[in-house]
Amino acid sequence: MSHHMTEVKDLHYVYPDGHKAVNGISFKIHHGESVGIIGANGAGKSTLLMLLMGVLFPCQGEVLVGEVLVTKKTLPGIRQRMGMVFQDPDDQLFMTTVYDDVAFGPRNYNLEEKEVEKRVLQALEMVGILHLKDRAPFKLSGGEKRAAAIASVLSLQPDILVMDEPTSALDPKSRRRLMKLLDSFEHTKIITSHDLDMVYELCDRSIVIKDGEIAADGPTSKILVDADLMDACGLEIPLALQNCPVCGRKK
Ligand SMILES: Nc1ncnc2c1ncn2[C@@H]1O[C@H](COP(=O)(O)OP(=O)(O)OP(=O)(O)O)[C@@H](O)[C@H]1O
Ligand SMILES: [Mg+2]
C-alpha cells in the first residue's frame, strides 16, 4: 500500500443557490491518521467530505491526495485509493442485490470474478451481513443499508477511508462491531460524526467545523473535553466523559 497524504488548501464551496457551505478550510492528514470531523448540523462536514472525494469541486482552493490534485481527470485513480461511505446509504446502493452493490467497485476495476467474490464475501462478513447478500438493498432496514454501504466501500480495499456518520442508524452491537473494524483498519480514516463517544474512542485527532470554517484542530483528548469550545460549536462533551447523570459523580 502506498503512503498518501491528504491535503486541503484554502477550500471554498458555494452551492448553486448561493449558500456558502465551506469558507477557507486548510489541513493536512498524514497516512495512518484517524481524524474525526465534528460540528453542529449544517456546519459543512458532508460538503467538506464531498470536496475531498471529488463528488463536488471547490469554487476556490484545492484538494491533493498523495500529491495528486483532485480533478475530473484524476478521479478514477483517486477513487481507487479513497473510499467514501455517504451520509445517506440510498446515495450508495443502486443495484438489485446487496452482493452486486458490494461487487460493483471491484468489478469496475476489472478484477477477476473469483477475486471479486472473495472480496465481496469478506466485506459482507466484516460488517456482519453475509446473510443479506441476496436481498434487494432498497428493501433493507436503515441500519442494514448502512452496513451494506460500508461493505461496498471495504470491498475496494481503499488506503483512505472517508465516512460520513458511519454509526448513525446502527444498533449498539452493530455500532460496536463497526468501531472494532475501524479500529483495526490501519490506513487513514476520516470520519464525520455526531457520535462523539465513537470519535473519542477511535480518532486521535479532531477537526471542529463551525459555519464552514475550522474552529479547532488538534488532539481529540484535548478538544472533546473543552466544554467552552464544544458549547460554542453546538456540541457537547462525549457521554463517556460527562458526570454520572444519576449520582452526579465525576468519571
Ligand atoms: N444542495 C444544497 N444546496 C444548497 N445548500 C446546501 C445543499 N446541501 C447542503 N447545503 C447547505 O450547506 C451547509 C452545510 O451542509 P452540510 O450538509 O455540509 O452540513 P453537515 O455539517 O454535514 O450537517 P449534518 O450534521 O446535518 O449532516 C448547510 O447550511 C446546508 O443547508
Ligand atoms: Mg452531514
Side-chain angles (χ1 to χ4, degrees):
M1 293 271 182
S2 45
H3 289 229
H4 309 295
M5 182 164 78
T6 307
E7 186 171 5
V8 158
K9 291 185 193 168
D10 193 30
L11 271 198
H12 290 255
Y13 186 76
V14 182
Y15 278 103
D17 67 357
H19 192 96
K20 283 187 186 169
V22 170
N23 308 311
I25 287 185
S26 304
F27 56 72
K28 281 183 190 172
I29 294 177
H30 296 270
H31 182 83
E33 271 196 282
S34 177
V35 182
I37 298 195
I38 59 175
N41 291 134
K45 306 177 298 296
S46 296
T47 308
L48 176 61
L49 292 196
M50 288 193 275
L51 290 165
L52 279 184
M53 284 299 297
V55 177
L56 299 173
F57 290 96
C59 307
Q60 189 187 317
E62 54 190 30
V63 178
L64 293 139
V65 177
E67 291 172 6
V68 177
L69 189 65
V70 177
T71 62
K72 281 196 176 123
K73 234 178 161 179
T74 59
L75 263 191
I78 301 277
R79 293 272 167 85
Q80 231 170 341
R81 300 164 169 185
M82 219 178 191
M84 175 160 171
V85 177
F86 288 86
Q87 183 161 5
D88 182 353
D90 287 331
D91 289 340
Q92 200 134 17
L93 306 169
F94 46 85
M95 302 297 279
T96 47
T97 66
V98 169
Y99 185 100
D100 284 340
D101 256 321
V102 180
F104 183 83
R107 280 180 180 149
N108 217 18
Y109 288 108
N110 296 321
L111 295 181
E112 281 188 21
E113 203 50 36
K114 247 203 142 119
E115 173 66 15
V116 172
E117 184 185 8
K118 195 174 122 204
R119 288 198 187 194
V120 172
L121 299 181
Q122 196 179 25
L124 291 172
E125 180 89 55
M126 278 164 120
V127 296
I129 57 159
L130 192 53
H131 59 292
L132 299 178
K133 71 180 168 49
D134 300 318
R135 296 274 303 275
F138 70 94
K139 286 187 183 164
L140 300 180
S141 77
E144 290 169 342
K145 276 186 193 172
R146 177 155 307 275
I150 293 167
S152 76
V153 169
L154 293 178
S155 64
L156 274 169
Q157 300 184 346
D159 293 343
I160 304 170
L161 202 49
V162 179
M163 294 192 154
D164 200 352
E165 309 279 352
T167 55
S168 74
L170 292 186
D171 63 39
K173 264 203 170 149
S174 307
R175 171 181 177 270
R176 190 44 67 185
R177 186 191 298 113
L178 176 66
M179 284 169 65
K180 254 185 154 169
L181 180 71
L182 291 178
D183 205 27
S184 68
F185 185 80
E186 288 167 3
H187 306 291
T188 312
K189 293 180 277 259
I190 306 172
I191 305 172
T192 77
S193 192
H194 294 295
D195 180 352
L196 297 186
D197 285 84
M198 186 263 294
V199 171
Y200 189 71
E201 272 192 48
L202 287 185
C203 303
D204 298 328
R205 174 179 167 194
S206 288
I207 298 177
V208 188
I209 308 286
K210 188 184 178 208
D211 300 330
E213 294 176 24
I214 295 186
D217 179 354
T220 299
S221 56
K222 285 201 176 137
I223 287 193
L224 291 192
V225 296
D226 185 338
D228 292 338
L229 172 69
M230 293 285 99
D231 191 51
C233 297
L235 301 168
E236 280 183 349
I237 290 176
L239 284 175
L241 301 177
Q242 291 181 19
N243 293 347
C244 170
V246 180
C247 66
R249 214 182 57 198
K250 279 198 163 90
K251 288 193 178 164

